[in-house]
Amino acid sequence: MAAGVGLVSGTAHAADPVAPAARAASAPQSDLAKAKAANVQTFASPTGRTVRSALPAARGKAAEAPAQDAAGNPDLKIGLGATSRTARGLELTTTVTSAATPLSVTIAWGDGTTDSAQASGSTVLKNSHVYTKTGDYTITVTVTDAVNNVQAENQLSIRTPGSDFTPHAPTRLLDTRDGTGTAKAKVPGKGNARVKIAGNAQIPADVTAVVLNVTVTNTTEAGHVTVFPGSGYRQPNTSNLNYESGQSVPNQVIVQVGNDGYVELVNGGWAPVDLIADVTGYFTRTSSSGYTSLAPSRFVDTREGLGTSKGQVPGYGSFGVQIAERGRVPKGVTAVALNVTVTNPQEAGHLTVFPSGQTAPATSSVNFGAGQTIANSVIVPVGADGKISIRNGSWKPADVVVDVVGYYSPDSKAAFLPVSPSRWLDTRQSDWNGGPAPARGYLHMFISPEEQGVEGYVLNATVTNPISAGFLSVAPDPNTWDDYIKGTQGRPERPVSSTLNWTAYKTVPNLVQASAGDHGIVDFWNQSDHNVDLIVDLFGYYESK
């Protein structure tokens, strides 16, 4: 085990016993509402689009009294406006112009459901609606004036802001070593590689965000890689993976696709590097699979025979993992969100995680060196038999640990909303007074405290400046916002899962699909014997309303 630290039975941490930290530092309350603002959409259909028609009774009398319809309530018209502030929710404003007469109003939401109301004369009506699926809808509002035998109708086309997930067989979109998706050449220092997403590898043109496993390799100096949307977006002050000379480092990324259908990979170091990007899924507003977050749950540990046979995975060996109908994962899931850790590897190599029933693709999910303990976030399609497969791409054996953090399915309600990547916490900064993440303690971060409908968050967590080996755990906090305000919070139970592992003096990042839990508070546990600095970046969130 690297530096005397590894994964002991049921968890991944330094050797106990160690006295736990007596305090839990708090990260500043972040403003998810501000991050959400970019996803707010507005729609309008002015009164000039109103279509007037005679009621059936009036049409039957047309020959006897042809002037009746023209004279009855001639100013009747409808203006429509809507605002979408949540993944599938809508606030509709109906402005009715009419003579002082009783009116019946019907709203057909475009999904087979309707609402109705009674009004009188000119009025403004407010209605809310939540669609069960993401997508495009046409709202039809009809106002009926039975006294004057006339009705008016207006329609409004809307699109839900949230996106559903579609799994994709792991496929390489970029490899600067052989010219896949770009020129065959290293990415220069401070240079970038553009990755075509929309329309590539059968990914739809209307893709909103993409899941990539990004790997940097053939490094000669230390640096970092930043992934962000293409045209129309500025490079953020965030990072997705960090590397040192001679390292091959992977990290999963969920990133919004730019207006031009591309994403950008920027080499933040001064020396050239090779970059690789493999797609495993994408998001569109076409109804597909929503997301359900879970508190991290261990499904595999080869050291103790959990979820597979006991013993290291042999070189170039594979094993299957049952995902569906196990633990809290139901039947019918299309993909699963994992944290995959390799430990005790006897030589350098990589792991490939892929759907059951398929041949292992030429992609990697976790890269490792001899003796290294390293974790990576993985989203992988689930095979028709409810299983996934894991292959050891090294010549020699290694142990594998798998924690499930969520799943995608047609029955899951939460849709994804990407945001421009932004830094939410950096314990190194002068404006942060809480100090580093305490040894054997945790930082709790208020992301959407007590806000209903938020299922989870897409974060990138980075640990830096460690002076000893350890690992980070991320889990929802069981305390309420009020508990923390009053100082009556209890100490959460220490998680048994690992999100990322590090050795002394190394900087290590990993994507985190963090559950919002019941209260919108997330804990970041420093499972080591010394303080470490923690950096947290936000890339999006899942919402179920």
Side-chain angles (χ1 to χ4, degrees):
M1 298 183 182
V5 176
L7 308 175
V8 302
S9 179
T11 188
H13 57 80
D16 285 325
V18 175
R23 67 187 179 93
S26 173
Q29 181 184 356
S30 301
D31 188 1
L32 187 60
K34 183 177 180 180
K36 285 182 174 184
N39 286 310
V40 173
Q41 297 187 17
T42 59
F43 311 90
S45 183
T47 57
R49 296 180 182 176
T50 302
V51 177
R52 287 170 52 89
S53 60
L55 293 177
R59 294 190 191 105
K61 299 177 181 179
E64 302 173 10
Q68 183 175 356
D69 295 332
N73 202 354
D75 295 325
L76 182 63
K77 53 192 173 184
I78 308 167
L80 301 177
T83 302
S84 292
R85 301 184 187 279
T86 61
R88 293 178 287 105
L90 183 81
E91 298 171 0
L92 177 68
T93 299
T94 302
T95 302
V96 179
T97 302
S98 172
T101 185
L103 304 172
S104 296
V105 182
T106 301
I107 303 171
W109 294 103
D111 59 356
T113 65
T114 59
D115 284 336
S116 60
Q118 300 299 312
S120 179
S122 296
T123 188
V124 176
L125 302 175
K126 302 284 188 178
N127 297 84
S128 298
H129 188 69
V130 177
Y131 292 95
T132 58
K133 293 292 183 180
T134 59
D136 296 317
Y137 297 91
T138 298
I139 300 171
T140 302
V141 178
T142 304
V143 176
T144 302
D145 176 0
V147 174
N148 291 289
N149 292 316
V150 65
Q151 68 180 17
E153 181 179 286
N154 199 351
Q155 292 186 324
L156 178 66
S157 296
I158 66 99
R159 168 172 287 181
T160 60
S163 298
D164 274 2
F165 178 75
T166 298
H168 192 291
T171 303
R172 186 141 293 173
L173 300 184
L174 174 75
D175 192 336
T176 60
R177 301 169 303 176
D178 61 15
T180 299
T182 188
K184 182 181 178 181
K186 280 189 171 184
V187 179
K190 305 303 178 180
N192 70 305
R194 302 181 75 242
V195 183
K196 180 176 174 56
I197 304 298
N200 193 8
Q202 298 185 328
I203 300 172
D206 61 348
V207 59
T208 59
V210 65
V211 181
L212 300 173
N213 198 64
V214 177
T215 303
V216 61
T217 190
N218 297 326
T219 59
T220 58
E221 293 182 8
H224 68 275
V225 175
T226 297
V227 184
F228 66 103
S231 176
Y233 293 84
R234 296 178 60 184
Q235 181 178 336
N237 66 335
T238 57
S239 63
N240 295 88
L241 56 90
N242 298 68
Y243 59 86
E244 295 184 353
S245 178
Q247 278 190 318
S248 291
V249 180
N251 196 15
Q252 184 169 257
V253 176
I254 300 178
V255 61
Q256 187 172 2
V257 176
N259 300 329
D260 58 357
Y262 284 76
V263 299
E264 304 271 354
L265 278 62
V266 176
N267 173 17
W270 291 105
V273 299
D274 278 310
L275 292 176
I276 304 164
D278 302 321
V279 62
T280 62
Y282 57 86
F283 295 86
T284 67
R285 292 189 175 91
T286 301
S287 179
S288 184
S289 293
Y291 183 66
T292 298
S293 65
L294 300 173
S297 176
R298 184 142 295 174
F299 270 43
V300 172
D301 191 334
T302 61
R303 298 160 308 163
E304 60 184 50
L306 174 65
T308 187
S309 57
K310 184 177 181 179
Q312 290 194 311
V313 183
Y316 286 93
S318 301
F319 67 96
V321 181
Q322 182 66 43
I323 297 295
E325 297 184 280
R326 182 178 171 196
R328 294 178 58 194
V329 181
K331 183 179 180 180
V333 295
T334 58
V336 62
L338 310 170
N339 207 66
V340 179
T341 304
V342 63
T343 190
N344 304 321
Q346 297 183 24
E347 71 171 20
H350 66 274
L351 297 181
T352 298
V353 186
F354 58 102
S356 175
Q358 299 183 15
T359 303
T363 58
S364 61
S365 303
V366 184
N367 295 68
F368 53 85
Q372 186 180 24
T373 296
I374 187 169
N376 196 29
S377 177
V378 176
I379 296 175
V380 61
V382 175
D385 57 359
K387 296 181 179 181
I388 62 170
S389 297
I390 300 178
R391 180 175 183 264
N392 177 12
S394 168
W395 286 106
K396 292 188 177 180
D399 279 309
V400 176
V401 179
V402 178
D403 297 316
V404 173
V405 300
Y407 61 86
Y408 299 87
S409 78
D411 294 329
S412 297
K413 301 301 183 184
F416 179 63
L417 294 105
V419 300
S420 295
S422 59
R423 181 143 294 173
W424 280 34
L425 174 68
D426 188 340
T427 61
R428 304 168 302 174
Q429 296 301 311
S430 58
D431 58 354
W432 164 248
N433 298 319
R440 293 298 175 159
Y442 68 99
L443 299 176
H444 62 272
M445 178 178 280
F446 305 112
I447 300 182
S448 57
E450 310 306 334
E451 182 177 343
Q452 299 300 307
V454 178
E455 179 75 15
Y457 320 100
V458 176
L459 309 168
N460 202 73
T462 303
V463 166
T464 191
N465 300 325
I467 62 173
S468 64
F471 74 101
L472 183 77
S473 297
V474 181
D477 193 309
N479 294 290
T480 68
W481 164 259
D482 196 49
D483 289 334
Y484 279 105
I485 294 298
K486 295 179 178 178
T488 58
Q489 74 275 8
R491 183 178 175 84
E493 183 177 349
R494 188 163 65 95
V496 298
S497 61
S498 64
T499 298
L500 61 88
N501 296 67
W502 66 84
T503 54
Y505 309 110
K506 302 295 184 182
T507 297
V508 181
N510 200 10
L511 182 85
V512 183
Q513 297 244 82
S515 170
D518 294 329
H519 307 292
I521 306 171
V522 177
D523 295 334
F524 297 84
W525 286 82
N526 171 14
Q527 307 268 30
S528 76
D529 300 337
H530 298 89
N531 295 350
V532 297
D533 278 312
L534 176 65
I535 303 162
V536 179
D537 299 325
L538 176 73
F539 290 84
Y541 58 98
Y542 294 95
E543 195 168 43
S544 60
K545 65 177 183 177

